[in-house]
């Protein structure tokens, strides 16, 4: 059974702090790793789709790195703002049409 | 574009009733899927489709049926609702294999 794990489960940071969280996934049969942002009472929205070992993606203050050989990805948020408060999900796919989601990291940014 | 739409937003069923959750997308995506989201668990795949007429089971298919007669629509049928099916259901679509998924707004289902 393929397993995707995210850590930490939740964290609180002060406005202006930088933070990061981890997604661990199977290192074999890798096709793509996705990051989604999920705000309360909304639906998940894609942040990044990462496909190559060593890939780095950036969108504003949010960036992500990928290590497919060891099976992990980091998501970084620089200078956290209250509007960054959300659950951040990662999802692994091995090239089938099945996406395996982690349980998410719930981020709360305190003003 | 409306993107991915789902109806209804909320539904309460009694045990043993049946119903259909509707999902539609107007982006001409071949791939569509249904997930359920339960507290403390990640999104779990129920069924998916890679094109009209083609469906397959995901991780938790029992108690659910799907069909895909058109590219746009992918309804999820609950045959005999059970309290264990109380959940939030999300439909998603993507343009290509392994590609970014677009999610609908979700349907919150309670089975009493």
């Amino acid at each position: 059974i393929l397993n995707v794990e995210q850590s930490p489960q939740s964290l609180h940071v002060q406005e202006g702090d930088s933070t990061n969280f981890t997604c661990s996934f199977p290192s074999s049969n890798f096709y793509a790793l996705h990051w989604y942002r999920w705000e309360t009472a909304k639906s998940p929205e894609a942040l990044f789709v990462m496909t190559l070992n060593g890939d780095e993606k950036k969108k504003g203050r949010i960036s992500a790195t990928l290590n497919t050989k060891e099976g992990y990805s980091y998501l970084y948020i620089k200078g956290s703002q209250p509007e960054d408060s959300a659950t951040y999900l990662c999802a692994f796919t091995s090239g089938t049409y099945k996406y395996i989601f982690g349980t998410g990291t719930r981020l709360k940014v305190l003003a | 574009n409306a993107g991915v739409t789902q109806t209804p937003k909320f539904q309460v069923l009694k045990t043993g009733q049946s119903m259909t959750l509707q999902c539609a997308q107007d982006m001409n995506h071949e791939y569509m899927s249904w997930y359920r989201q339960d507290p403390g668990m990640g999104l779990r795949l129920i069924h998916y489709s890679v094109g009209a007429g083609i469906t397959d089971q995901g991780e938790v298919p029992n108690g659910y049926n799907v069909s895909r007669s058109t590219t746009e629509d992918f309804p999820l049928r609950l045959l005999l609702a059970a309290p264990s099916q109380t959940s939030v259901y999300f439909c998603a679509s993507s343009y290509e294999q392994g590609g970014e998924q677009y999610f609908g707004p979700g349907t919150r289902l309670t089975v009493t």
Side-chain angles (χ1 to χ4, degrees), chain B residues 37-80:
Chain B
Q37 197 265 323
D38 301 296
M41 307 190 81
L43 291 165
R44 291 185 293 167
L45 183 64
I46 305 171
H47 285 285
Y48 66 97
S49 168
V50 302
I54 307 169
T55 63
D56 205 349
Q57 295 181 350
E59 183 186 354
V60 288
N62 292 342
Y64 307 95
N65 268 2
V66 292
S67 59
R68 184 100 179 266
S69 55
T70 67
T71 300
E72 294 77 21
D73 299 299
F74 190 42
L76 178 73
R77 278 180 284 278
L78 280 70
L79 307 171
L80 288 170

Side-chain angles (χ1 to χ4, degrees), chain A residues 9 31-32 34 36 38 41-46 49 51 89 91 93-104, chain B residues 31 35 37 40-43 45 48-50 56-59 90 94 96-106:
Chain A
Q9 278 191 328
Y31 187 87
H34 296 222
Y36 291 85
W38 192 359
K42 295 188 177 179
S43 48
E45 290 186 353
V49 179
T51 56
L89 295 175
T93 178
S94 60
T96 65
Y97 287 90
K98 297 182 181 181
Y99 298 74
I100 311 296
F101 281 82
T103 53
Chain B
Y31 175 81
Y35 295 91
Q37 197 265 323
M41 307 190 81
L43 291 165
L45 183 64
Y48 66 97
S49 168
V50 302
D56 205 349
Q57 295 181 350
E59 183 186 354
F90 287 96
S94 69
E96 59 187 353
Q97 180 181 353
E100 170 185 344
Q101 290 193 90
Y102 294 81
F103 284 84

Side-chain angles (χ1 to χ4, degrees), chain A residues 68-85:
Chain A
T68 60
K69 293 184 179 171
E70 296 183 40
Y72 64 84
S73 176
Y74 295 136
L75 188 80
Y76 300 91
I77 302 178
K78 186 176 175 183
S80 303
Q81 299 296 309
E83 57 265 30
D84 295 328
S85 297

Side-chain angles (χ1 to χ4, degrees), chain B residues 14 27 30 32 42 53 65 67 73 80 89 92 101 108:
Chain B
K14 292 188 188 311
M27 297 174 282
E30 291 295 329
M32 296 184 74
N65 268 2
S67 59
D73 299 299
L80 288 170
Y89 291 85
Q101 290 193 90
R108 185 175 293 274

